[in-house]
Amino acid sequence: MNAASATGSHSRNGYRFSDQENGDYNQHSDGQAFYETGSEDFEGQKAFHKNAEKRKEKRSLMSNDQEKDDYLLAEARQPLWRKVPIASSLINPYRIVIILRLVILVFFFHLRITTPVHDALALWIISVVCEIWLALSWIVDQLPKWFPITRETYLERLSLRFEGEEVPNLLAPVDIFVTTADPLKEPPIITANTVLSVLSVDYPVEKVSCYVSDDSASMLLFDTLSETAEFARIWVPFCNKYNIEPRAPEFYFSQKLDYLNDKVHPTFVKDRRAMKREYEEFKVKINVLVAKAQKKPEEGWVMQDGNPWPGNNMDDHPGMIQVCLGSAGALDKDGKELPRLVYVSREKRPGYQHHWKAGAMNALVRVSAVLSNAPFALNLDCDQYINNSKVLRESMCFLMDPQLGKKFCYVQFPKRFDGIDCNDRYANHNTVFFDINMKCLDGIQGPVYVGTGCVFNRRALYGYDPYSVKSPKMKSCCCWPSSCSHCSSDFESSSDDETGQELEDFDEEEEEELSFMSLKSLEKRFGQSPVFIASALMEDGGFPKGTNTRVLIKEAIHVISCDYEEKTEWGKEIGWLYGSVTEDILTGFNMHCRGWKSVYCMPKKAAFKGSAPINLSDRLHQVLKWASGSTEIFFSGYCPLWYGYSGKLKWLQRLAYTNSIVYPFTSIPLLIYCTIPAVCLLTGKFIIPTLSNLACIWLMALFISIIFTCVLELRWSGVSIQDWWRNEQFWVIGGVSAHLFAVFQGLLKVAGVNTNFNVRAKSALDTSFGQLYHFKWTTLLIPPTSLVILNMVGIVAGISDAINNGYDSWGPFFGKLFFSLWVIVHLYPFLKGLMGKQNRTPAIVVLWSILVAIIFSMIWVRIDIFLPKQTGPALRQCGIRC
């Protein structure tokens, strides 16, 4: 541009110069000749400068392209993620208050122990023991919160590094596991939406495989997946064309948003209306299948080809695998490839242990290893759909990190839920756990595994240690590190060159013998499947060269047989571990004990969303399941108190796992402590003696430190005070009901009495919250109801006693009243759920609770152990007027 401007200016200046020097230039022939010659020179100069201009523009474009390439290359070399520590101005005051609270607790308990209440000694001893237990529980929960962090990912850098227009896509393949156990309790339309969100995820289609586990061998789910595969042929291209979110159609069409926002494509409105009609027709087909499945024919279910359904007996059937999408001709309506979709139902026979969800997950691990063998695997519950289509890219920012990716066993995402009432009465969002506790664990060794919404490194599932350089090969020392004397001592630290040098020292006979021994060792650990063992040795996934793909389906059927895991390490050291209904805690704990680290990823747009039990009974049963699993682990060999002392588990991480196992036992002192206020009101005694000035100071300091701890925790975490308060309330509700029953169930299991776990019924999106008021009778309701009645009776008795005894008795009464109201306020959501929509409590609950309260009162009147005993009449000296 500068060259062009200079040329134009030069020409104009030359023309004007001739005009000024020669006068009327056109009147002279010499001048005319001069003009013509000047015109030729001018055209030549113009052409010369024009060529120069093009050369400079070309050099400029080349320079710009080079600068752009250099910038992109430099950007691609930047880290894919970074840690974002909590600001010191937010976290340091929080830490200071925690230390002060610990100091205050020490002085407070010194005061409590040294000032007994002699007129109610037994009551005082019990209260002090409960307070110490609850304080230790708080310390165990609080110490792992010392190093909270957050993380940021850079998806643009991931694309620059692993994707390009002219080069093969280098993003790692991912296998996605969806588990379901009962299609009548877990509606097929929910499972279908989860599968559709998986198939339309924003990731290269050839690198996505979806495996759906049907643990009930239901023909209903099989037919549902067939219909889902057909609907995916039009749904997936619609999602990709308009980049819609979320990609589960039920939740996309139910959004109360302006669907025209940012959708400028002229055909969008027309296509959206057509797609909604197609989805309504799809729902009708699924509902017809559900209606037919309500009554099973006497001869059993029959498939469309006339053959009987192999899974007519859900407890005795062969293994079944059906590739619904991914085979030849599985294209969408635009002729593009679709992700693979596979139906899996593992074999079940009487007399074999099937280990619930953990067994189903291990079957999916083996099937996927045989059919696709992606290096990473995402597991989802059937009601947990993908809400953020870029979730796989988010996880790859960590797992494909060139420096630290091989040290991460999994990337855990928080659970988010749909269909919960705005007040979140029963703390279903569990915000304190997901937005506070998990962030804090991420600053130690990583978050715990919560059972869904987690992307695993397959090598971690196979029990490998994180620092090994490569998987051992079949002709080299491919044994497990702990099972071979040759490599157990230096497996983790040896390099490829050192290993190769060592192997050169063996002659051919020794090599063959070693290979045979290694194969036997691998079969003892992984099972007798050469195809699976070969896939397990592939560090980056895929299959060895020369693998016969025709035998893969047959081999996949073999690895889901009911006797495949016998005499292997599956469920012990490999895959999802057995021994508890909360297999998630066990599995993550075992990986952390091996030295792996995990990552907590919280993208701005929630990665996954699912359903939660919104009525009281279902919520308590869900908490009962979690607490029962924790007690099972406590009484097993995997308890964090005595398992995994290999030096690879950080002590704060062990403390966090210990807290996740022992918390149900806190229900015992909590229940007693919630009963004490009513006892004090009924007897006129109190657990605290007359307070001195120093005692008042320490008591006030304790309450102030508790308040400041909560306020500062909410300040750095961003959790609302409503979410925090709901969590506190349900901690008490669950503690005096579900946690207490879980402890007894754990003790019964130790004694040899097994308790059954029932699948929680899930429902589709319900915006009316009708189930919020649905009441189901359960024995879990008896203890909290009895506590409420007992404290209310105690308050009435306390008021009556204060009125009768005069002015001096009102001061002690208000102290007792405070603690009794503390119990009732914490149980308020329970009362709301108990009353139902019509504020009417079921008669059976009232009768049971009144009966328990009466029995307790009668025992109290008969025994009354907390009042001082007198052996005779109280005598006093009388005067003359006695």
Side-chain angles (χ1 to χ4, degrees):
M1 191 68 185
N2 293 334
S5 300
T7 304
S9 176
H10 173 74
S11 302
R12 289 192 296 270
N13 289 339
Y15 178 82
R16 288 194 297 270
F17 174 78
S18 301
D19 186 43
Q20 292 174 0
E21 290 293 327
N22 297 308
D24 191 0
Y25 181 78
N26 295 326
Q27 294 179 0
H28 302 281
S29 60
D30 295 342
Q32 181 68 27
F34 175 77
Y35 175 78
E36 291 174 359
T37 304
S39 177
E40 291 176 1
D41 292 341
F42 172 73
E43 292 295 332
Q45 291 176 5
K46 186 175 180 181
F48 173 78
H49 287 294
K50 188 174 182 180
N51 292 334
E53 180 181 335
K54 290 182 179 179
R55 288 194 297 271
K56 289 183 179 180
E57 288 180 356
K58 187 176 181 180
R59 284 195 297 267
S60 177
L61 290 174
M62 292 177 62
S63 177
N64 291 338
D65 290 342
Q66 185 64 34
E67 290 178 0
K68 183 178 180 180
D69 291 341
D70 292 341
Y71 169 77
L72 295 178
L73 184 61
E75 184 70 11
R77 290 174 177 172
Q78 294 296 316
L80 300 177
W81 60 274
R82 73 181 183 99
K83 285 184 181 180
V84 184
I86 306 298
S88 57
S89 60
L90 298 176
I91 195 63
N92 286 341
Y94 176 67
R95 293 169 177 166
I96 293 171
V97 170
I98 291 175
I99 295 174
L100 290 176
R101 184 171 172 182
L102 288 172
V103 173
I104 293 171
L105 275 175
V106 172
F107 285 97
F108 172 78
F109 282 117
H110 177 266
L111 179 69
R112 288 282 285 135
I113 294 171
T114 56
T115 55
V117 182
H118 295 287
D119 61 344
L121 193 60
L123 192 65
W124 170 79
I125 292 174
I126 292 174
S127 66
V128 170
V129 171
C130 292
E131 289 167 2
I132 293 175
W133 192 330
L134 294 172
L136 290 175
S137 175
W138 172 79
I139 292 172
V140 172
D141 178 68
Q142 193 66 54
L143 289 182
K145 295 182 179 180
W146 201 257
F147 304 105
I149 63 168
T150 56
R151 300 178 190 261
E152 287 183 355
T153 56
Y154 302 99
L155 301 183
E156 298 82 4
R157 295 175 184 175
L158 181 76
S159 297
L160 288 173
R161 183 175 297 186
F162 297 107
E163 294 181 292
E165 296 180 356
E166 300 179 357
V167 296
N169 194 301
L170 299 179
L171 287 174
V174 181
D175 291 334
I176 302 176
F177 306 150
V178 179
T179 53
T180 179
D182 188 346
L184 296 180
K185 291 185 177 181
E186 300 166 328
I189 191 64
I190 295 181
T191 305
N193 272 270
T194 299
V195 171
L196 288 169
S197 70
V198 168
L199 297 178
S200 56
V201 70
D202 184 6
Y203 208 72
V205 292
E206 70 277 6
K207 297 178 181 292
V208 176
S209 299
C210 178
Y211 296 85
V212 181
S213 171
D214 178 13
D215 232 23
S216 62
S218 169
M219 188 174 170
L220 171 59
L221 184 62
F222 180 84
D223 291 338
T224 298
L225 284 187
S226 299
E227 294 291 344
T228 304
E230 288 300 317
F231 182 73
R233 298 175 190 270
I234 58 175
W235 173 252
V236 173
F238 173 75
C239 295
N240 294 332
K241 181 177 181 180
Y242 298 111
N243 195 28
I244 67 167
E245 296 283 352
R247 300 192 175 185
E250 178 71 29
F251 302 94
Y252 169 69
F253 289 121
S254 64
Q255 289 182 119
K256 296 180 180 180
L257 300 173
D258 181 10
Y259 62 82
L260 294 176
N261 186 30
D262 298 330
K263 305 297 182 183
V264 296
H265 202 285
T267 61
F268 171 70
V269 176
K270 178 182 178 181
D271 289 349
R272 185 184 185 279
R273 288 173 180 169
M275 183 55 62
K276 189 171 184 179
R277 287 194 298 269
E278 292 286 348
Y279 178 64
E280 293 298 330
E281 294 178 4
F282 170 72
K283 287 176 66 176
V284 170
K285 294 178 182 178
I286 300 301
N287 291 333
V288 169
L289 293 175
V290 173
K292 291 181 178 179
Q294 298 300 318
K295 187 177 181 180
K296 185 177 180 179
E298 294 183 0
E299 65 277 8
W301 300 110
V302 179
M303 295 187 292
Q304 293 181 356
D305 58 3
N307 293 320
W309 172 247
N312 277 318
N313 187 344
M314 64 177 296
D315 296 320
D316 186 5
H317 64 84
M320 294 178 284
I321 295 177
Q322 174 66 41
V323 180
C324 302
L325 289 175
S327 56
L331 304 176
D332 63 20
K333 68 170 187 176
D334 297 333
K336 296 181 180 179
E337 185 180 357
L338 287 169
R340 178 178 296 179
L341 175 61
V342 182
Y343 169 87
V344 180
S345 182
R346 57 185 172 136
E347 182 184 16
K348 286 188 176 181
R349 301 296 182 190
Y352 287 90
Q353 288 288 337
H354 302 298
H355 304 291
W356 300 99
K357 180 182 176 181
M361 293 302 302
N362 286 336
L364 289 180
V365 170
R366 296 192 295 270
V367 169
S368 62
V370 171
L371 297 181
S372 54
N373 198 35
F376 305 111
L378 164 65
N379 91 283
L380 294 173
D381 289 340
C382 65
D383 62 331
Q384 203 84 10
Y385 68 91
I386 295 179
N387 184 64
N388 183 348
S389 63
K390 297 186 182 298
V391 61
L392 295 183
R393 297 176 181 270
E394 295 276 359
S395 61
M396 290 303 112
C397 287
F398 300 101
L399 296 173
M400 295 188 70
D401 183 276
Q403 296 181 347
L404 299 175
K406 294 185 182 298
K407 298 181 181 180
F408 295 142
C409 54
Y410 58 80
V411 177
Q412 178 67 61
F413 293 87
K415 282 185 178 181
R416 304 299 186 206
F417 301 100
D418 285 317
I420 296 177
D421 61 301
C422 58
N423 293 321
D424 192 13
R425 179 184 295 177
Y426 307 124
N428 278 295
H429 284 302
N430 214 351
T431 309
V432 171
F433 175 76
F434 286 112
D435 289 11
I436 296 180
N437 295 53
M438 295 287 271
K439 284 182 180 179
C440 297
L441 291 178
D442 200 17
I444 307 173
Q445 199 171 340
V448 298
Y449 168 46
V450 298
T452 183
C454 187
V455 183
F456 281 94
N457 185 332
R458 190 180 284 267
R459 289 175 55 79
L461 290 172
Y462 290 161
Y464 286 111
D465 290 336
Y467 305 114
S468 57
V469 289
K470 282 190 177 182
S471 300
K473 298 180 181 179
M474 288 298 296
K475 290 188 178 181
S476 63
C477 191
C478 57
C479 58
W480 201 257
S482 59
S483 60
C484 175
S485 60
H486 170 67
C487 63
S488 60
S489 60
D490 58 355
F491 180 84
E492 294 182 3
S493 59
S494 62
S495 64
D496 292 339
D497 295 336
E498 291 172 346
T499 305
Q501 186 63 36
E502 287 180 356
L503 292 175
E504 289 178 0
D505 297 335
F506 291 96
D507 56 22
E508 294 182 359
E509 294 181 0
E510 290 174 330
E511 244 181 69
E512 292 177 0
E513 182 180 356
L514 180 61
S515 177
F516 176 76
M517 293 174 60
S518 301
L519 179 60
K520 289 295 182 182
S521 175
L522 288 171
E523 287 181 347
K524 288 181 179 179
R525 296 188 67 86
F526 294 114
Q528 296 184 357
S529 171
V531 176
F532 176 79
I533 291 175
S535 68
L537 298 177
M538 302 295 292
E539 181 179 4
D540 297 322
F543 300 99
K545 293 182 179 180
T547 301
N548 185 3
T549 57
R550 296 180 180 179
V551 302
L552 294 184
I553 291 291
K554 182 179 180 181
E555 194 68 20
I557 292 289
H558 169 58
V559 299
I560 61 172
S561 59
C562 57
D563 60 347
Y564 181 83
E565 295 182 353
E566 287 189 351
K567 298 180 180 180
T568 68
E569 295 297 328
W570 285 100
K572 302 173 185 175
E573 295 294 332
I574 300 174
W576 273 257
L577 301 194
Y578 303 149
S580 172
V581 294
T582 52
E583 71 290 327
D584 45 4
I585 296 178
L586 268 182
T587 304
F589 174 60
N590 189 47
M591 292 179 181
H592 283 135
C593 286
R594 292 183 175 275
W596 289 94
K597 295 181 179 180
S598 56
V599 174
Y600 193 52
C601 182
M602 295 182 65
K604 294 181 180 179
K605 181 179 177 61
F608 306 99
K609 284 189 177 182
S611 64
I614 64 173
N615 69 70
L616 180 60
S617 302
D618 286 347
R619 176 70 166 130
L620 288 177
H621 276 286
Q622 183 187 56
V623 175
L624 174 63
K625 176 206 168 185
W626 296 340
S628 298
S630 294
T631 56
E632 288 173 351
I633 297 173
F634 178 82
F635 291 114
S636 73
Y638 291 101
C639 180
L641 292 174
W642 48 75
Y643 178 80
Y645 284 94
S646 61
K648 295 180 180 180
L649 186 68
K650 296 182 179 180
W651 73 272
L652 281 179
Q653 191 79 14
R654 181 179 298 277
L655 201 62
Y657 273 111
T658 301
N659 182 52
S660 67
I661 298 305
V662 303
Y663 77 90
F665 296 93
T666 307
S667 61
I668 298 173
L670 180 62
L671 179 65
I672 296 173
Y673 208 71
C674 289
T675 308
I676 287 176
V679 173
C680 293
L681 288 167
L682 289 171
T683 61
K685 303 300 177 181
F686 200 30
I687 59 176
I688 299 177
T690 303
L691 297 177
S692 63
N693 292 335
L694 181 61
C696 289
I697 292 174
W698 286 120
L699 189 60
M700 291 299 297
L702 180 61
F703 279 109
I704 292 172
S705 66
I706 292 173
I707 294 172
F708 269 90
T709 303
C710 299
V711 170
L712 293 175
E713 188 171 81
L714 299 181
R715 184 167 170 254
W716 70 254
S717 65
V719 174
S720 68
I721 190 169
Q722 181 184 7
D723 290 330
W724 174 84
W725 176 237
R726 289 293 185 226
N727 181 79
E728 291 295 306
Q729 288 179 313
F730 203 80
W731 175 76
V732 175
I733 295 171
V736 299
S737 57
H739 296 176
L740 185 67
F741 277 71
V743 172
F744 288 117
Q745 284 188 2
L747 294 173
L748 289 174
K749 189 170 184 180
V750 172
V753 180
N754 290 324
T755 55
N756 294 325
F757 160 66
N758 295 320
V759 178
R760 175 178 65 87
K762 302 175 177 67
S763 60
L765 186 65
D766 180 14
T767 56
S768 63
F769 306 114
Q771 289 193 4
L772 181 64
Y773 309 104
H774 183 62
F775 179 83
K776 299 178 183 178
W777 160 247
T778 171
T779 52
L780 296 176
L781 303 175
I782 295 176
T785 308
S786 302
L787 276 178
V788 172
I789 294 177
L790 199 60
N791 277 275
M792 287 182 175
V793 171
I795 291 174
V796 173
I799 293 174
S800 176
D801 183 69
I803 293 173
N804 292 332
N805 292 332
Y807 177 78
D808 292 338
S809 62
W810 283 99
F813 166 72
F814 282 120
K816 303 168 191 175
L817 179 65
F818 171 80
F819 288 106
S820 190
L821 289 177
W822 178 90
V823 175
I824 294 174
V825 168
H826 277 79
L827 293 175
Y828 177 72
F830 172 82
L831 285 174
K832 292 277 288 184
L834 204 62
M835 295 297 180
K837 193 172 185 179
Q838 293 80 23
N839 292 330
R840 295 169 61 185
T841 305
I844 189 170
V845 177
V846 176
L847 292 176
W848 269 103
S849 303
I850 292 176
L851 179 63
V852 171
I854 291 175
I855 292 173
F856 182 83
S857 301
M858 293 177 65
I859 293 175
W860 185 267
V861 171
R862 182 69 183 87
I863 300 176
D864 203 4
I865 61 174
F866 298 118
L867 290 179
K869 298 297 185 291
Q870 297 178 357
T871 57
L875 302 177
R876 62 178 180 176
Q877 293 182 350
C878 299
I880 191 171
R881 297 179 181 177
C882 181

